[in-house]
Amino acid sequence: MAKIEMKTALVEMDGDEMTRIIWQMIKDELICPYVELKSEYFDLGLEMRNATDDQVTIDSAEATKRLGVAVKCATITPNAARMEEYDLKQMWKSPNGTIRALLDGTVFRAPIVVKGIDPVVRTWKKPITIARHAYGDVYKNTEIRVPGAGTAELVFTAADGTVTREKIHEFEGAGVIQGTHNLDASIESFARSCFEYALATGQDLWFATKDTISKTYDHRFKDVFAEVFEADYRTRFEAAGIEYFYTLIDDAVARVMKSEGGFIWACKNYDGDVMSDMLSSAFGSLAMMTSVLVSPHGYFEYEAAHGTVQRHYYKHLKGEPTSTNSVATIFAWTGALRKRGELDATPELVEFADRLERATIQTIEAGKMTGDLARITSLEDVTTLGTREFILAVRETLDALA
Ligand code: NAP
Ligand code: MG
């Protein structure tokens, strides 16, 4: 059978530990036998990041700006233990953070819904995608421990020297203060990424803040979204038959719980951090969660939401059998191949990505799955497969679908 041709290369960002092992298996068994893979390869494994002083991460992000589509393997974010384990020159920053800063993107996370892995919320029929703003607020805060009585003020000195001053609190005893900020430009990029992604996936967009309490800060988020929507998206949303819906964060949480799913939920940075963990657990498993970074300039970087699965990797190194779930990493590849196919008008590539996703889902629905899913499935007569065996089972289903 002739392999599917690609018109343009995609950026391939290899990673660490168990996901690096899975990466190669997916390429060998599920991609390369069917697709004449064109990729610009960057090794973001920790050893190469250390050897290149992290230049390889920057290069991979720059290549993504040039080619438009990337697929990324999970990578280690170094901590003190990793400094020693890998004899690092420096505690390199999180590659995801570096790439996100360079592409100015928003991360969208969506569960992969499979029969037999049932959401704990009974009404959810379709996936809920979380869009998390990735800049500012409490993640770039300044804090002071107030030792005792005194006055706390918020002071802004403009470039021309004009000073604006607001009293925060007259402390009579000890306490704490926190200063946070955000930028109109970042909020606008976030809004545009969300509107674009809603159009690209044909889903409604929800957004929520606490603007009744935070009348300047959160209200600015609400206003920026409304301004961008009216100026550039209302007509396109109407033509696509989708809606933009704004509400208060507490109302949003209540509505999400009673919804059927099938929409994008845009969240401020903290809300997105907390709610994405809630959603992935409620939908079943972190190993069934896809993640895509969408930049307002139209670049896309696909990855799995989970980490490098270190515990399984150490078992693998000792020659012990592993049963690591490769579904989210397979879907990172299909996401990138489909986007490449859409951008290059290569329908065979889009069709292949769809087929590989169907094969993956059907394999699980037929009762063949890795241990993490076998433990939580409502299916009976389940076969628990090892890491490679599951990928081979998907290949068998894929060949039967062809
Ligand atoms: P993790 O790799 O997500 O794994 C945590 C646990 O979740 C695993 O031990 C395993 O549970 C389960 N799990 C996660 N993915 C699984 C899969 N595909 N199949 C089966 N089980 C899975 O998180 P971590 O152990 O906290 O982090 C390991 C490394 O990943 C760290 O160095 C961290 O910096 C990095 N990380 C990278 C990214 C990224 O690149 N996007 C994201 C998060 C973390 P059991 O052990 O119970 O089987
Ligand atoms: Mg979190």
Side-chain angles (χ1 to χ4, degrees):
M1 205 172 61
K3 288 195 201 180
I4 298 163
E5 294 289 334
M6 290 176 66
K7 289 183 187 154
T8 318
L10 52 75
V11 178
E12 181 184 341
M13 302 170 175
D14 207 343
D16 288 299
E17 301 195 311
M18 201 59 204
T19 40
R20 188 181 180 99
I21 307 285
I22 286 175
W23 193 259
Q24 195 60 47
M25 288 180 188
I26 292 173
K27 280 175 66 181
D28 290 347
E29 299 295 341
L30 300 178
I31 312 283
C32 293
Y34 308 92
V35 177
E36 200 58 65
L37 181 66
K38 271 194 192 160
S39 78
E40 278 191 26
Y41 178 88
F42 294 86
D43 183 358
L44 300 200
L46 188 49
E47 280 163 7
M48 187 57 89
R49 278 182 276 145
N50 192 51
T52 63
D53 294 342
D54 212 21
Q55 185 61 36
V56 65
T57 308
I58 294 163
D59 292 346
S60 73
E62 293 301 335
T64 306
K65 289 186 180 174
R66 185 159 40 78
L67 295 171
V69 180
V71 56
K72 180 181 170 290
C73 181
T75 45
I76 292 169
T77 299
N79 55 16
R82 301 296 199 169
M83 290 286 289
E84 210 166 302
E85 183 183 357
Y86 285 84
D87 191 17
L88 299 180
K89 298 186 223 167
Q90 252 189 61
M91 203 182 287
W92 306 110
K93 284 195 235 153
S94 148
N96 290 52
T98 303
I99 294 166
R100 201 155 37 201
L102 287 167
L103 302 185
D104 183 21
T106 298
V107 174
F108 295 84
R109 290 198 161 177
I112 300 157
V113 176
V114 178
K115 275 194 223 88
I117 311 294
D118 306 314
V120 293
V121 179
R122 284 190 316 269
T123 53
W124 291 352
K125 305 267 184 284
K126 292 178 239 166
I128 296 169
T129 303
I130 288 244
R132 173 182 170 189
H133 186 206
Y135 180 83
D137 301 352
V138 72
Y139 301 87
K140 264 208 181 302
N141 67 358
T142 308
E143 304 184 335
I144 297 176
R145 164 78 172 120
V146 174
T151 309
E153 290 179 303
L154 205 53
V155 180
F156 173 72
T157 311
D160 70 0
T162 320
V163 172
T164 312
R165 203 177 272 273
E166 288 283 339
K167 173 159 325 159
I168 297 171
H169 191 67
E170 200 63 60
F171 283 85
E172 287 174 6
V176 281
I177 322 172
Q178 165 171 273
T180 65
H181 77 279
N182 224 298
L183 309 171
D184 278 16
S186 175
I187 303 168
E188 185 179 331
S189 289
F190 173 48
R192 286 189 188 281
S193 296
C194 291
F195 289 127
E196 288 292 336
Y197 197 69
L199 283 168
T201 59
Q203 300 184 88
D204 289 348
L205 177 69
W206 296 18
F207 181 47
T209 73
K210 194 71 182 170
D211 66 283
T212 47
I213 300 296
S214 172
K215 289 188 166 64
T216 302
Y217 197 111
D218 276 21
H219 213 284
R220 188 68 203 135
F221 281 78
K222 176 184 179 178
D223 287 347
V224 169
F225 267 70
E227 285 158 19
V228 171
F229 181 66
E230 292 306 331
D232 293 333
Y233 291 98
R234 180 179 284 283
T235 325
R236 291 170 70 194
F237 266 50
E238 279 167 7
I242 57 174
E243 277 184 16
Y244 169 58
F245 171 62
Y246 177 85
T247 187
L248 275 175
I249 185 69
D250 23 4
D251 181 47
V253 170
R255 283 172 189 260
V256 163
M257 285 304 177
K258 286 183 270 178
S259 77
E260 281 203 348
F263 54 89
I264 299 161
W265 182 11
C267 289
K268 285 182 63 198
N269 210 347
Y270 174 83
D271 298 340
D273 183 355
V274 176
M275 290 304 163
S276 66
D277 282 357
M278 191 269 283
L279 246 85
S280 63
S281 311
F283 268 105
S285 162
L286 195 59
M288 297 293 281
M289 197 80 171
T290 61
S291 188
V292 56
L293 177 73
V294 179
S295 88
H297 318 290
Y299 319 127
F300 296 80
E301 184 238 299
Y302 294 83
E303 62 171 341
H306 59 77
T308 59
V309 214
Q310 181 182 20
R311 200 182 66 82
H312 296 208
Y313 181 58
Y314 288 139
K315 282 177 73 177
H316 170 84
L317 287 181
K318 280 192 264 171
E320 291 172 22
T322 58
S323 182
T324 312
N325 189 333
S326 49
V327 172
T329 307
I330 296 174
F331 274 62
W333 273 98
T334 53
L337 290 172
R338 180 186 297 106
K339 180 54 72 181
R340 191 73 278 167
E342 285 169 4
L343 293 176
D344 295 351
T346 323
E348 320 81 86
L349 199 55
V350 175
E351 198 275 332
F352 172 75
D354 291 345
R355 186 148 38 93
L356 178 50
E357 288 184 1
R358 262 201 325 276
T360 308
I361 289 171
Q362 283 183 18
T363 304
I364 299 169
E365 291 180 347
K368 293 179 226 167
M369 59 190 79
T370 45
D372 57 315
L373 297 184
R375 278 195 294 276
I376 59 170
T377 185
S378 58
L379 297 177
E380 285 162 20
D381 298 325
V382 164
T383 314
T384 303
L385 299 176
T387 307
R388 174 181 290 283
E389 288 66 41
F390 175 74
I391 289 170
L392 294 177
V394 172
R395 182 166 183 181
E396 212 170 287
T397 317
L398 181 65
D399 288 338
L401 284 175

